[in-house]
Amino acid sequence: SISPYEQAFFKEHSAHLAELRKAGHIVMGARYSDVGLLVIQALAEDDVRALLDTDPSMQAGTFQYAVYPMNVFYPGLVGNQK
């Protein structure tokens, strides 16, 4: 298996994620096992899909995503940085 950095459209994917971060949509991003994990702030699942469907790597089929709602009951330190 090749690293994510070597996969097609990775640079475009990174640029798209940078735009989502600048716009305040991404709360957190991480690697989880061998997949990427994004926590995206949105009002509805369709809003998340609309953001991710414009990613060139998703459009090309290089990367795929699944959307899972997350209901935070204890925010911990995420979002509480000063």
Side-chain angles (χ1 to χ4, degrees):
S1 116
I2 62 175
S3 77
Y5 308 103
E6 299 172 303
Q7 294 178 327
F9 295 98
F10 184 79
K11 288 182 184 179
E12 296 85 350
H13 173 65
S14 292
H16 184 251
L17 293 182
E19 290 299 317
L20 293 179
R21 282 191 303 271
K22 285 180 198 172
H25 297 295
I26 295 179
V27 175
M28 180 178 64
R31 297 286 305 157
Y32 179 74
S33 186
D34 62 347
V35 297
L37 171 71
L38 294 174
V39 176
I40 297 176
Q41 182 173 310
L43 295 176
E45 286 184 45
D46 287 343
D47 297 335
V48 174
R49 293 180 196 288
L51 293 170
L52 295 178
D53 285 343
T54 61
D55 187 300
S57 68
M58 303 298 177
Q59 293 172 344
T62 303
F63 297 126
Q64 299 174 350
Y65 69 87
V67 177
Y68 300 98
M70 184 170 79
N71 299 310
V72 177
F73 60 87
Y74 178 70
L77 299 176
V78 175
N80 293 328
Q81 300 169 2
K82 295 181 180 185

